[in-house]
Amino acid sequence: MRQETFSVLQALAEKHTGQFLHKNKQVLLAGRLTGLAFRTGHDSIDALARHIGDFRPGANLELEAATALLDRHSRFVSERRELAPLFEQVIAPALARAAPGSYRIWCAGCGSGQEAFSLLILLNNVLPAETVRRIDLVATDISDAALMRANAGLYSHFEVQVGLTAGNLIRYFTQASEQRWQVSPVLSRQVQFQAHNLLSPEDAPGRFDLILCRHVLGGMTPEHRPRAEQALHRHLNPDGHIHLVG
């Protein structure tokens, strides 16, 4: 990858996602973009960078390249170690004092959906079905590719081994093939996956009682992270809670 190509990609990532690209990750970044370059008719990443502002029917090549560069940690979340404390300290008290109606949760920067499904598994394990029906869960991400995976709810054998207990895997997934597992329709019906950029607060999907944002803000530049945090707070209901990790 030529230096001028890296500079173009660095500016691109910051413009669309607020993320800072480190020079020591050039090999990793090249691996992420090689497939996109060939798929869009470019014989190299350098050629892709030269035409990065081009548009293809129905897609912005610039945005597609920027989201491909994201360094994401999308994985299933441990129920006992990470989610149970959040439920006991935040969600359960809020549900107990809330007026009848929905309790709204936003998973911002949800990646390919594992965090949202992990939270739903916990809620279905500890709450009556009628209470779970009161919960409105929205999960968003900037990446169309990640959202396609989230909506498909199909994960590799390796992915379900991280963060899921054997009991939850059996209860909430079916084995689609030797190496792939399908999330149950029960969970799929309980979440709405939507496209959203944290740097575009006007497009946020409403106001929420709980906002989760994990492993997204930590990679942002000092200029963009405060903007994203302020945008999240603007969409929090009074007495709501924001849970930031990384």
Side-chain angles (χ1 to χ4, degrees):
M1 183 188 301
R2 299 166 61 184
Q3 180 56 45
E4 50 263 50
T5 294
F6 179 75
S7 297
V8 168
L9 298 177
Q10 196 172 43
L12 187 70
E14 184 172 342
K15 171 185 175 182
H16 286 283
T17 70
Q19 300 288 316
F20 177 74
L21 300 185
H22 294 271
K23 289 185 177 180
N24 61 0
K25 293 188 175 181
Q26 289 192 44
V27 174
L28 178 63
L29 298 176
R32 292 175 181 166
L33 283 179
T34 298
L36 176 62
F38 291 150
R39 183 160 51 82
T40 54
H42 300 90
D43 58 8
S44 69
I45 296 172
D46 295 320
L48 173 68
R50 287 195 298 270
H51 300 91
I52 206 69
D54 292 350
F55 283 81
R56 295 184 295 107
N60 183 341
L61 181 59
E62 188 174 297
L63 179 58
E64 190 172 358
T67 57
L69 292 167
L70 289 175
D71 186 9
R72 303 300 300 276
H73 302 274
S74 189
R75 62 173 179 82
F76 289 101
V77 183
S78 170
E79 182 176 8
R80 181 175 60 85
R81 292 194 309 271
E82 301 182 63
L83 293 179
L86 178 67
F87 176 81
E88 294 166 1
Q89 297 166 21
V90 177
I91 299 175
L95 287 171
R97 66 174 180 264
S102 66
Y103 177 79
R104 303 201 73 212
I105 302 175
W106 178 16
C107 289
C110 67
S112 47
Q114 290 99 315
E115 178 189 38
F117 288 128
S118 298
L119 181 58
L120 285 172
I121 287 171
L122 169 73
L123 296 175
N124 280 275
N125 283 344
V126 300
L127 292 173
E130 59 269 23
T131 303
V132 175
R133 285 193 289 270
R134 287 178 50 202
I135 297 173
D136 179 18
L137 176 60
V138 178
T140 65
D141 201 87
I142 189 176
S143 169
D144 287 340
L147 291 171
M148 285 179 64
R149 287 203 65 210
N151 276 305
L154 199 60
Y155 299 99
S156 71
H157 186 70
F158 174 77
E159 287 173 309
V160 299
Q161 298 301 308
V162 180
L164 288 178
T165 65
N168 285 334
L169 178 61
I170 293 171
R171 182 177 179 186
Y172 294 107
F173 292 79
T174 56
Q175 193 161 6
S177 67
E178 186 176 347
Q179 294 294 326
R180 305 179 86 184
W181 292 78
Q182 177 73 58
V183 70
S184 75
V186 171
L187 296 186
S188 297
R189 288 193 295 264
Q190 294 172 349
V191 58
Q192 303 172 56
F193 290 107
Q194 301 178 16
H196 175 256
N197 187 341
L198 291 177
L199 299 182
S200 302
E202 65 276 6
D203 296 331
R207 299 184 67 87
F208 296 86
D209 303 292
L210 172 62
I211 298 175
L212 310 177
C213 189
R214 298 169 49 86
H215 306 300
V216 176
L217 304 182
M220 287 187 172
T221 67
E223 174 190 355
H224 289 90
R225 176 165 181 156
R227 284 177 51 195
E229 289 185 358
Q230 291 168 10
L232 292 173
H233 278 88
R234 281 200 294 272
H235 294 279
L236 190 67
N237 283 329
D239 300 322
H241 180 85
I242 290 186
H243 183 69
L244 303 178
V245 177

